[in-house]
Amino acid sequence: MTGMTEETAYDRVRLAQWRAGEARMPGLSRRGLLRLTAAGGLALAAAGMAPGTASAAGPIVKPLPPELFDVYGTNAEMRWEAMRGQGYLTPVDRFFVRDHTSTPLLDAAAWRLKLFGSGLRGGPVEFTYQDLLALPSETMTAFVECAGNGRSFFAGQQGQQVSGTAWKLGAVGVARWRGVRLATVLARAGLSRDAVDVLPEGLDADYLAAGVNLGKVRRPLPVGKALQDVLLAYEMNGQPLPPDHGFPVRLVVPSWAGIASIKWLGRIEVSATPLVSPWNTQFYRLLGPDYPAEGTLVTEQVVKSAFELPWGATLTAGRQVLRGRSWSGHGRIRRVEVSTDGATWHPARPIGPALDRGWLRWEFPWRPRAAGTYTLRARATDVTGVSQPDVAPYNTQGYLFGAVVRHPVTVTG
Ligand SMILES: Nc1nc2c(c(=O)[nH]1)N[C@H]1C(S)=C(S)[C@@H](COP(=O)(O)O)O[C@H]1N2
Ligand SMILES: [Mo]
């Protein structure tokens, strides 16, 4: 575990101010909030996040062929075997989708980005799509990963029941994003020295959790991170952003939980007083017996590894090469080890670069001794020295499963 980051420290201050009535939760009435907490806040959160059943005309626009995706209601995860033979990036046709409601189809010509709030020196400022295209652009390779990626292994490996979509490891993808730095847009909008939080908000439908309308999907971001490396992206892998990934413009908040990367961006409140939303007071907090009562905010993603193999793959005996990828929200991957017997670990061979905001591809030659069942394990260490543990710390909503995943395969003779 890394030490307390600047953001978790700031989160404590912000939360204390929220309790003292000095922080605001725009987009939700006090009454809505009372109903939410009276009805048992977290249980509600669980109900709202439970996977539904896939419908024929789904909430996701792009095709979701079963060889590329597993679908859970409004969400679809990539099957890891779909990365085999691919280059560094995750192609759009297999990039996971996480929609709280459904993908809206927006018109770029009518689209506006509005910035407003006490953290601007002047009044509200609007940008059109063309305005953004005309600003200096930047390209960045970064992963977007759901904080709940790997959640099913809390039950599958640790026997712990948690709420939320039962992702395996496919709620992650790396893309090459192009757009304008949020810092550039904030500067043009007249960012005040007093600003502390920005609150980006999506244009998708209001999110309802067990009958309580939580309003637009939105989550405050401290100004420090907003100015550091956040992009207003309008391109993904060289193409205009596809509808499911936020067309016309989304935020990409590298290294942080996917929820920070708000899609279908419509408004950004810039505030001189701290802001909160259900997405940083209820969801995306680590809650449970091992955490303080108010929980710990989820910011950076943890270290993870995945094999480019089907779950429960069948392999034929003889020499083969296992391939996979490892990534971390704390920075680039420094080392990956593989175990095929659960006892001995051997270094994997890196393929290409390890990027700070992306992942490392690796391979491992393997000749199974005999036909039978095996458990494959991959364990990565990042540049900060953090390695994947054997057990992930339990939290009620199943975030940040970073433990070594035990991947079953069968070798046939
Ligand atoms: N407006 C909006 N932004 C959103 C979401 C959403 O439902 N609505 N889902 C968030 C979550 S939880 C994740 S993990 C990422 C997923 O991004 P992707 O669908 O492009 O993979 O988008 C985030 N941004
Ligand atoms: Mo997510």
Side-chain angles (χ1 to χ4, degrees), residues 84-174:
R84 183 134 193 146
Q86 297 297 324
Y88 191 87
L89 304 177
T90 309
V92 168
D93 68 358
R94 58 205 68 191
F95 204 101
F96 86 101
V97 180
R98 195 310 193 213
D99 284 359
H100 278 70
T101 60
S102 65
T103 295
L105 294 173
L106 303 175
D107 172 11
W111 179 85
R112 298 287 182 277
L113 174 65
K114 301 185 186 72
L115 288 94
F116 62 97
S118 59
L120 295 182
R121 291 196 303 274
V125 181
E126 280 196 6
F127 294 83
T128 66
Y129 189 57
Q130 291 306 323
D131 290 338
L132 281 192
L133 296 186
L135 288 174
S137 75
E138 195 160 301
T139 305
M140 184 173 70
T141 297
F143 69 76
V144 170
E145 182 182 27
C146 190
N149 195 25
R151 178 181 285 130
S152 66
F153 299 110
F154 277 104
Q157 288 193 179
Q158 302 183 181
Q160 294 162 334
Q161 297 313 309
V162 295
S163 60
T165 299
W167 305 108
K168 293 188 280 294
L169 281 173
V172 61
V174 171

Side-chain angles (χ1 to χ4, degrees), residues 95-101 144-147 167 171 177 201-204 217 236 244-246 250 257-265 284:
F95 204 101
F96 86 101
V97 180
R98 195 310 193 213
D99 284 359
H100 278 70
T101 60
V144 170
E145 182 182 27
C146 190
W167 305 108
W177 310 96
E201 187 178 291
L203 291 166
D204 43 338
V217 177
M236 181 180 186
D244 293 314
H245 299 290
R250 82 175 300 167
I259 183 61
S261 294
I262 294 293
K263 305 193 278 189
W264 314 294
L265 195 60
Y284 305 99

